[in-house]
Amino acid sequence: DEACVLIRNHPEKNYKNLDVAGIDSYDLDETTTSKSLGAMVVLRRDHQMKDKEDMTPVCLVYNRPKRKEMFYDMCLKVAVYYNLLGNVLVDVDKPLVIEYFKAHGGKRYLAPRPRSFESDSSEQMHEFGVKLTTFSKPKMIGILQTYVLDHGHKIWFKQVINDLINYDVKQKTSDWDSADALGIALMRHIDMKRPATDDNAKSAEDPYELPRYVEVDGKLVMIKQNKNLSDIKDPFIRMIHEGRFG
């Protein structure tokens, strides 16, 4: 079977840190001991856009193609498509997908180790990915449960819903890959501690820009460099913005 990619919402090109992803991968092409398919979930975080969904899975990769590299390649393409720079968190116990990203120019998409999910006595040294330990996995399950209570109605992929319904929190390893991938994405969302930012909003008004003043009828009038000319009613002030006067 070819890799299955489902999309709910496409990228918002001008935003940074809007989407994060979790990958629950595998290192073997075939196995007789597991029904694991492997999954990648792209989660759209909180944002300020009007009338658009937030805290919802927007993309799901969920299938086991003939070769594991096909799954890795699909995950990398999704990371590029959604501009997930530094925001793809991977279960480090299946490291081959991390090596694939590195070998194919995708290192910059990998998320760093989430330190906020480690115990004080942790001796972990890896750079990328998360290790689901007896300390971190219960924390992941906790935030996953909270997410379902608060945002479960925003999950549109039936595969994720089915995995969440069948999830056994007492089982150390599971075949409910999309649920684990969603949990890993939530770990990145929480550990990042940075909001989504709109590049257009940042460029529209420079906080370091010094105001300019002109004299009109004996009064000083402040003008802004980035003001939209169509909003300026006074023709004299408009000419100043156009550079026709110093």
Side-chain angles (χ1 to χ4, degrees):
D1 294 336
E2 295 299 322
C4 178
V5 180
L6 303 175
I7 293 178
R8 167 71 181 177
N9 298 105
H10 292 279
E12 296 289 340
K13 294 182 179 179
N14 297 319
Y15 272 79
K16 290 182 179 178
N17 299 317
L18 175 63
D19 301 320
V20 295
I23 298 180
D24 185 21
S25 187
Y26 51 88
D27 287 350
L28 299 174
D29 289 331
E30 296 181 5
T31 176
T32 58
T33 60
S34 171
K35 297 179 181 178
S36 175
L37 294 176
M40 177 183 190
V41 172
V42 180
L43 176 72
R44 180 141 301 167
R45 306 172 68 222
D46 302 292
H47 56 73
Q48 301 299 318
M49 291 180 285
K50 294 182 179 179
D51 303 321
K52 292 193 176 183
E53 298 172 323
D54 64 356
M55 293 306 295
T56 180
V58 295
C59 181
L60 171 67
V61 181
Y62 198 39
N63 208 341
R64 193 160 189 153
K66 295 177 181 179
R67 294 289 183 268
K68 57 186 179 298
E69 289 81 9
M70 295 172 65
F71 174 75
Y72 304 161
D73 185 63
M74 194 62 63
C75 291
L76 178 55
K77 288 176 179 176
V78 168
V80 174
Y81 183 59
Y82 283 91
N83 195 32
L84 301 177
L85 292 171
N87 285 324
V88 179
L89 190 61
V90 182
D91 181 352
V92 77
D93 284 337
K94 288 94 172 182
L96 289 188
V97 65
I98 295 177
E99 297 306 316
Y100 187 91
F101 269 57
K102 290 180 178 179
H104 294 81
K107 180 179 178 180
R108 63 187 182 276
Y109 295 99
L110 295 170
R113 193 171 85 244
R115 307 294 179 89
S116 59
F117 286 88
E118 295 179 20
S119 66
D120 293 337
S121 60
S122 173
E123 297 180 354
Q124 298 179 44
M125 297 295 292
H126 57 277
E127 182 179 5
F128 302 109
V130 59
K131 188 172 183 63
L132 298 179
T133 65
T134 54
F135 180 84
S136 62
K137 187 162 186 179
K139 294 185 71 173
M140 184 199 80
I141 293 173
I143 61 174
L144 195 55
Q145 290 174 331
T146 300
Y147 173 81
V148 170
L149 290 173
D150 294 342
H151 304 286
H153 59 287
K154 300 176 183 178
I155 302 174
W156 300 99
F157 301 118
K158 64 180 182 180
Q159 296 88 342
V160 179
I161 294 173
N162 289 337
D163 280 353
L164 288 168
I165 291 173
N166 295 317
Y167 202 92
D168 184 351
V169 298
K170 295 182 179 180
Q171 190 169 323
K172 185 176 181 181
T173 59
S174 78
D175 294 331
W176 305 294
D177 305 278
S178 66
D180 282 327
L182 175 58
I184 293 171
L186 287 167
M187 295 173 86
R188 176 56 186 159
H189 162 64
I190 292 173
D191 186 71
M192 182 167 37
K193 300 181 180 67
R194 291 195 303 271
T197 55
D198 182 356
D199 282 351
N200 281 346
K202 289 175 65 178
S203 61
E205 186 170 345
D206 184 356
Y208 300 102
E209 176 190 0
L210 295 176
R212 291 180 59 202
Y213 294 89
V214 295
E215 184 176 343
V216 180
D217 296 330
K219 297 180 180 180
L220 288 177
V221 177
M222 184 178 73
I223 61 175
K224 291 185 177 180
Q225 304 288 3
N226 292 323
K227 191 172 180 62
N228 191 334
L229 295 180
S230 63
D231 294 335
I232 303 175
K233 305 303 180 184
D234 190 302
F236 179 68
I237 301 298
R238 187 184 299 114
M239 284 189 291
I240 293 176
H241 276 281
E242 292 172 344
R244 296 166 64 180
F245 293 92

